[in-house]
Amino acid sequence: MTGMGAPPGPGDSSIVAEFHHQLATQGAIVLAVVAILFIAWNQLRAMQYRRAVARGEAFAPGADRLPPEPAGRRFLRIAFGLLWLFDGLLQLQSGMPTGLPSQVIQPAASTSPSWVRHLVDSGVNLWTNHPAAAAASTVWIQVGIGLLLLVAPRGLWSRGAGVVSVAWGLVVWSFGNAFGGIFAPGLTLLFGAPGAIVFYIVAGVLVALPDGAWSGRRIGRYTLGGAGVLLIGFGVLQAWPGRGFWQGGLDTHPGTLTAMVTQMAQSSQPHALSSLVSSFASFDGSHGWGVNLVAVVAMVLLGAVLLVAAVRTGEEGDVPVPATVVRLLRPALIVLAVLCVADWVLIEDLGVWGGTGTDPNSMLPLLFVTFGGYLALMRPAAVGSAVGSPGGPEAATEPGPDARAEAGAEPEPAPEPEPELVGAGVARATDTPSSVPTPPAQRSWWEGIDSKRAARLAATAGAAAIVLVGVAPMAAAAVQQSADPQIAVAVDGAPTDVSGPAPAFSLTAPDGSTVSLADLRGETVVLTFLDPVCTTDCPIIAQELRVTNELLGADAARVRFVAVVANPIYRSLQTVADFNRQEGLESQSNWLFLTGSVDALQQVWDHYGVTVQSAPAGGMVAHSDVVYVIDAEGRIRRILNSDPGSADGSTESSFSGLLASQVTQVQSR
Amino acid sequence: MSRRAWVVIGALLVVAVALLVALVASSDRPTVSVPTVALQTPPPPAGSTTPTVATVVLPMGHLADPANTFYELFDRSAGSPTWTLSTPPGVADNGGLVVGPSSGGVVTAGFLPSADLTFSVLATRAPGASQWSPAELPGTLAAEPDGLATGPAGQTAAVLSSTGTPVLAAGPGATTWHRLVSAAELTEATGGCRVTRVSAVAVTTSGLPVVGARCTGADVGLFEPASPATASSPDLPAPGRWVRVGPSLGSSGVTATTVLRLQDDGPGVAGLVETSGAGRSSVVAVWDPAGGTATISAPLTVPTGWTVQATATGGNAGPGLAVLLRGPAASDVRLTTVAGPGGAWSSPGPPPAGTSAVATVGDEVDAFVPAGAELRIWAATGSGPWHRTADLIVPIQYGSSS
């Protein structure tokens, strides 16, 4: 038997090539969409300019009528837009398709309860069955979410971006992050709990909130209060005895934090950084008690400050923040920022190394959410100022009459700039000084489109299209009946196209009847060689053929699966029947397991290039793992290496799918 | 929030839910599922000696890796001092190997399931032959050292691992099998004990089947057909009734007995029985002459924390038995033999370090010391010193069945 094929590992060249191919294809679609949108917008501007010239009017870009965005919301939107964009670019690493499940997701879930592992496994199954598609999809989804947050500052599109980031964040947190390890031992904020993605979700929720929710200081209070509770809670957990954090080094065994940091330092990264992290690991090993004390005190005190600030500040935006809160809050945020950055560098090791880093871990997102809450608290949007009032991007401007009228109510789109884009691509008397005369002729509808807003809408549509470019392939992969055939190709190589007469054979079926290849003319024959007393590969190959039969559906009626015994000793009709029964194949009507005399079998093995060799000392008979696809005219059309490789679900499913596609192709010739 | 906003949010949530449902629904796709069975723990090493051949089965290879631990058969013809590797080819035996040599020289070997192979097959070898012939068994062999027995005419009996541990029998050639007895039928036997499983089978020189079992209580579960005359046949017909011939161990505090080994010793059968009760366990030798009264040896105490690592039967031209005990520490090893009925347990001296199997050939005890693919064989006679008799290299096929 040929040696077990190596499973596709991180960076497997064929999988990576397929990954890059899908990225390129999807990238081309994205470019096409963006190009079309850009051309359309450019054409609009050109047409508006020519019409303005024809009318003798001055052509001016539209006035930006976007209402001012609350400072906190703006900060969160831009910060997490950049984070999502960065995370999407991290997904471009070559190790992602085959390395993410085995090196990131499953290790993260390994100490979680079984129900969590089961949930994670369902996501892992999708990824391992379609590594290239899943990895490429994730790139576009995250890049798209980032761009959507950045280019859509207000309105439904912006809030939709928040919703999409929440939805994707929840998918990642559950299926890909084992809920941040909150159900596993060793939980610590210092190392990423409750999962960086939780802060992305929080930010998404905040961005998705209606404009009216940003009036006053309520969001700021809740955000800072939540951050305070989180810090205090994790501070208490950090202080809890018996979890190994108070000990830097336990005899010859490192404490919990030291062990974590030491492991991080060993990942592939710039030497200067690994040295820095290793040094901190050594420092913690010697001063673990002190380090943990600082961490506990910092978390509890900072959390208390945030909580007090939230509690002692009123919700009304026109009521100033108490001076004591301001005096506490600003220094606390500075300290928090310093400690978060220190943890991010020294403990989380920036989170992006090793070839499968998915994000910069949790300290930056935690800091961003907290700072966003601070801005929401200190610079609240005035009541009603979120809607309809012109002005710059600064928050808390004087509310216009429309905004006052809507104070406290859900904002209505009118006079919302989207999607109707009510504005002025051409200067009008109501917006600009009266030196621009009213054109005498009737205006076309496109002359009234505000080109700046049109640009913004086009960019938003482009970002949304990027998200869809990512979602569609992943959804399609999820409903595929079999794993990506590329996995089987990575294990066994691509099928070989041939065209030559299939050597004849005449052997015996378990019922004692004689079956020859000529008897099967008119059917597509899938021919393989199996040892009926094999302990490893052959049962797997038999099951792969059974699944192939299922995948073929109605086409299977014109296919015959034929196995020839590949054991010179154990080849009796009874033994063959026992194998069929063992594999549940005795009831598959198009399955034949043929045997014969040693001479007859040897002839078939020779003609089909199959090596069969007995082994001494209790070894299994060694034989080639190969599958031939023979067309209805009796010509060999495909040869596939059928070594099961690592024999996991994805390689088995992939081979079945690959074989089914080859059979279908041969049938359609 | 406007109606349009709700519509947008709802649409996005529908997409998300659809994605999750698709993930869940992916479990309905056809999947490769290889049928497996719960693998049995292979039986401990066992030596069996008949008037024509001595055999021993022991594990070799990477013993910490079950997939790369292979059970090798060595045999030694009567009168020859040389042990030869004789493992039957054609099947991986890393699930275990059971061998039943007969007084007539026929040897039957049975392969236990391994990995994705869920049924057993047999191999038979004619007297004096070197080639094995394949044979089928309609079931899975039980992992017992004497779960397979061959009679003088080549008739075969096999204990299966299925519920009730039925025993099957076949005539010479092992081509047509029929049911011989089961644990439930033995419980109903005359003088029967409560049999929880059949643990051994033998066929005497006269062709009589004898079955050993695990019983609750102090009775030794040794059973013969109630009508020996009609049961002694080359075809091993199923007798209508069985009778327990094993002795009772009386009020010795024994709560369970298990026949570990059972072999034809000429007059009848000789065997080893493990007893347990009151927190103690011991091994007794039992000899049951056909038509006579069974006799037992003094109990050989098995210290707490020790186990029976290996056994041997057929020594001293038939009735001789050997037990290799091993304790928790590496140096805790004890080899004890008994020559026959009325004999006392004696020790030929500490066996060589690393001994994992023994065989008794005449008055000689052979110790087998495996190390990966190498096998060293030592011999001692009576209480004499151990001397090394052979070094063998076995071509272990690592990776062939993993």
Side-chain angles (χ1 to χ4, degrees):
Chain A
M1 177 172 306
T2 54
M4 297 290 279
D12 182 273
S13 58
S14 62
I15 301 288
V16 171
E18 176 65 17
F19 173 47
H20 291 161
H21 171 72
Q22 295 205 16
L23 281 174
T25 305
Q26 291 153 9
I29 297 172
V30 166
L31 279 177
V33 169
V34 170
I36 290 171
L37 291 170
F38 178 76
I39 291 170
W41 173 75
N42 226 7
Q43 191 63 23
L44 172 68
R45 281 177 60 88
M47 289 166 56
Q48 289 177 337
Y49 175 77
R50 285 196 294 272
R51 182 58 65 90
V53 168
R55 291 178 183 277
E57 296 168 349
F59 176 70
D64 189 344
R65 290 192 173 182
L66 279 182
E69 184 177 14
R73 185 183 191 279
R74 180 183 174 86
F75 176 81
L76 289 172
R77 182 178 57 78
I78 294 174
F80 281 90
L82 291 173
L83 274 180
W84 275 117
L85 194 58
F86 181 69
D87 293 351
L89 295 177
L90 281 177
Q91 289 293 140
L92 288 169
Q93 298 172 88
S94 297
M96 284 300 184
T98 48
L100 186 67
S102 59
Q103 295 185 3
V104 178
I105 298 178
Q106 284 174 322
S110 61
T111 53
S112 294
S114 60
W115 68 270
V116 173
R117 293 199 305 274
H118 183 72
L119 191 65
V120 168
D121 282 346
S122 60
V124 165
N125 284 343
L126 173 62
W127 193 287
T128 55
N129 283 348
H130 307 278
S137 290
T138 305
V139 170
W140 296 117
I141 290 173
Q142 295 188 170
V143 166
I145 291 174
L147 289 176
L148 203 53
L149 285 169
L150 290 172
V151 303
R154 304 307 303 280
L156 280 179
W157 282 104
S158 181
R159 292 172 57 194
V163 172
V164 172
S165 67
V166 169
W168 182 247
L170 287 172
V171 170
V172 171
W173 192 49
S174 54
F175 291 101
N177 196 223
F179 302 102
I182 60 175
F183 299 108
L187 194 66
T188 173
L189 185 70
L190 303 180
F191 217 71
I197 198 68
V198 168
F199 302 108
Y200 288 63
I201 294 170
V202 169
V205 169
L206 293 175
V207 170
L209 289 174
D211 289 348
W214 288 90
S215 302
R217 305 182 197 277
R218 182 172 47 188
I219 287 185
R221 294 183 67 228
Y222 286 159
T223 305
L224 288 183
V229 169
L230 183 82
L231 285 171
I232 293 172
F234 273 104
V236 170
L237 195 62
Q238 194 72 25
W240 207 266
R243 300 180 71 233
F245 288 105
W246 288 107
Q247 293 84 11
L250 299 169
D251 298 327
T252 57
H253 303 292
T256 306
L257 186 63
T258 307
M260 289 176 175
V261 178
T262 304
Q263 189 180 14
M264 292 304 293
Q266 292 168 354
S267 58
S268 174
Q269 60 191 294
H271 178 71
L273 184 59
S274 70
S275 296
L276 186 64
V277 176
S278 294
S279 299
F280 179 75
S282 300
F283 178 81
D284 185 67
S286 307
H287 305 87
W289 196 90
V291 169
N292 202 49
L293 181 65
V294 169
V296 170
V297 169
M299 280 192 267
V300 172
L301 282 182
L302 291 172
V305 169
L306 296 179
L307 194 56
V308 165
V311 168
R312 296 196 61 186
T313 305
E315 284 199 1
E316 298 302 321
D318 51 1
V319 176
V321 177
T324 51
V325 170
V326 174
R327 279 199 297 272
L328 283 175
L329 201 50
R330 286 178 180 161
L333 279 177
I334 294 172
V335 171
L336 179 66
V338 169
L339 292 177
C340 281
V341 171
D343 182 286
W344 181 48
V345 174
L346 298 175
I347 297 177
E348 294 184 345
D349 195 14
L350 305 185
V352 300
W353 308 112
T356 50
T358 57
D359 59 83
N361 220 318
S362 64
M363 285 296 127
L364 289 185
L366 166 63
L367 191 58
F368 292 163
V369 167
T370 308
F371 193 68
Y374 167 77
L375 288 176
L377 189 79
M378 300 303 292
R379 300 189 203 177
V383 172
S385 68
V387 178
S389 61
E394 297 303 317
T397 56
E398 280 296 318
D402 291 341
R404 274 198 289 270
E406 296 176 4
E410 287 296 327
E412 288 298 327
E416 277 295 317
E418 302 187 36
E420 289 78 18
L421 302 173
V422 175
V426 175
R428 293 193 290 186
T430 56
D431 298 293
T432 56
S434 57
S435 59
V436 178
T438 302
Q442 188 178 0
R443 294 183 182 278
S444 303
W445 62 272
W446 45 266
E447 291 185 75
I449 297 175
D450 184 319
S451 63
K452 270 197 174 178
R453 290 199 176 97
R456 198 165 45 249
L457 183 61
T460 303
I466 292 174
V467 174
L468 287 176
V469 163
V471 169
M474 187 172 277
V479 298
Q480 286 285 318
Q481 287 289 89
S482 62
D484 190 341
Q486 194 63 36
I487 298 173
V489 171
V491 172
D492 289 323
T496 305
D497 283 3
V498 294
S499 179
F505 59 78
S506 181
L507 296 170
T508 310
D511 63 0
S513 62
T514 301
V515 177
S516 68
L517 183 60
D519 295 336
L520 305 175
R521 195 62 67 88
E523 294 178 290
T524 303
V525 175
V526 176
L527 175 68
T528 191
F529 298 81
L530 301 178
D531 174 3
V533 290
C534 174
T535 60
T536 52
D537 289 11
C538 299
I540 297 171
I541 296 170
Q543 291 301 313
E544 288 173 341
L545 298 185
R546 182 187 60 76
V547 171
T548 300
N549 185 54
E550 290 185 40
L551 292 174
L552 286 171
D555 290 343
R558 295 179 288 123
V559 177
R560 194 69 73 111
F561 292 87
V562 178
V564 173
V565 164
N567 187 318
I569 302 171
Y570 288 91
R571 50 182 175 79
S572 69
L573 296 181
Q574 182 61 50
T575 304
V576 167
D578 288 343
F579 178 88
N580 284 344
R581 189 167 36 252
Q582 168 183 279
E583 299 303 321
L585 288 167
E586 73 271 45
S587 59
Q588 183 174 322
S589 59
N590 60 350
W591 169 262
L592 279 173
F593 197 178
L594 305 179
T595 185
S597 66
V598 174
D599 289 340
L601 289 172
Q602 186 68 57
Q603 194 174 51
V604 181
W605 301 336
D606 291 342
H607 287 164
Y608 282 90
V610 174
T611 304
V612 178
Q613 196 164 19
S614 292
M620 197 164 58
V621 168
H623 64 86
S624 316
D625 289 335
V626 63
V627 172
Y628 292 85
V629 182
I630 303 170
D631 67 17
E633 286 76 44
R635 298 185 69 82
I636 300 175
R637 292 297 182 183
R638 297 285 194 278
I639 303 175
L640 293 85
N641 181 359
S642 56
D643 189 328
S646 64
D648 58 25
S650 59
T651 58
E652 294 162 354
S653 174
S654 175
F655 181 81
S656 297
L658 177 65
L659 179 58
S661 70
Q662 299 301 303
V663 171
T664 302
Q665 289 177 23
V666 168
Q667 283 183 318
S668 62
R669 289 174 70 96
Chain B
M1 195 155 41
S2 71
R3 177 180 299 179
R4 185 165 51 191
W6 281 112
V7 169
V8 170
I9 291 171
L12 289 171
L13 287 174
V14 166
V15 169
V17 169
L19 186 63
L20 290 173
V21 169
L23 274 172
V24 174
S26 66
S27 63
D28 292 339
R29 63 182 61 156
T31 54
V32 173
S33 176
V34 179
T36 57
V37 292
L39 297 178
Q40 305 172 80
T41 301
S48 305
T49 301
T50 73
T52 53
V53 67
T55 63
V56 67
V57 176
L58 69 150
M60 295 185 65
H62 295 158
L63 301 184
D65 176 10
N68 282 305
T69 298
F70 294 87
Y71 290 79
E72 306 297 349
L73 166 64
F74 298 88
D75 63 20
R76 172 178 161 182
S77 299
S80 166
T82 308
W83 288 92
T84 307
L85 176 68
S86 299
T87 308
V91 186
D93 68 3
N94 52 356
L97 186 69
V98 176
V99 173
S102 82
S103 57
V106 175
V107 181
T108 307
F111 296 87
L112 298 179
S114 167
D116 297 336
L117 175 64
T118 64
F119 56 91
S120 290
V121 290
L122 304 178
T124 62
R125 193 180 70 191
S130 60
Q131 298 290 326
W132 292 85
S133 300
E136 286 87 33
L137 178 68
T140 302
L141 204 57
E144 304 286 357
D146 286 328
L148 199 58
T150 312
Q155 64 269 64
T156 311
V159 181
L160 301 188
S161 66
S162 50
T163 304
T165 50
V167 182
L168 302 187
T175 52
T176 307
W177 292 84
H178 58 271
R179 184 187 181 92
L180 188 67
V181 75
S182 68
E185 292 169 47
L186 293 176
T187 301
E188 301 299 320
T190 303
C193 53
R194 184 166 169 272
V195 175
T196 55
R197 78 172 197 271
V198 176
S199 58
V201 66
V203 181
T204 67
T205 308
S206 60
L208 184 75
V210 181
V211 175
R214 174 178 168 82
C215 285
T216 55
D219 297 329
V220 174
L222 215 57
F223 298 84
E224 289 178 1
S227 305
T230 54
S232 302
S233 161
D235 295 324
L236 279 181
R241 290 171 35 247
W242 291 75
V243 59
R244 183 177 63 83
V245 298
S248 177
L249 300 181
S251 56
S252 51
V254 172
T255 57
T257 65
T258 304
V259 176
L260 296 180
R261 299 298 311 274
L262 194 64
Q263 189 179 319
D264 165 44
D265 70 346
V269 292
L272 292 169
V273 179
E274 186 171 37
T275 70
S276 58
R280 298 192 304 263
S281 66
S282 63
V283 175
V284 295
V286 61
W287 297 271
D288 175 48
T293 305
T295 57
I296 60 173
S297 69
L300 174 68
T301 302
V302 178
T304 304
W306 288 56
T307 56
V308 175
Q309 177 174 357
T311 55
T313 61
N316 201 25
L321 301 157
V323 177
L324 183 71
L325 298 177
R326 183 165 292 280
S331 58
D332 291 341
V333 61
R334 193 180 303 168
L335 176 62
T336 316
T337 63
V338 62
W345 291 100
S346 63
S347 175
T355 297
S356 74
V358 291
T360 50
V361 184
D363 58 356
E364 177 183 291
V365 178
D366 289 353
F368 299 82
V369 182
E374 295 182 24
L375 181 68
R376 291 186 175 175
I377 305 174
W378 300 72
T381 304
S383 57
W386 291 93
H387 58 279
R388 204 155 91 196
T389 60
D391 288 350
L392 302 179
I393 300 295
V394 177
I396 303 285
Q397 304 295 300
Y398 294 114
S400 67
S401 180
S402 59

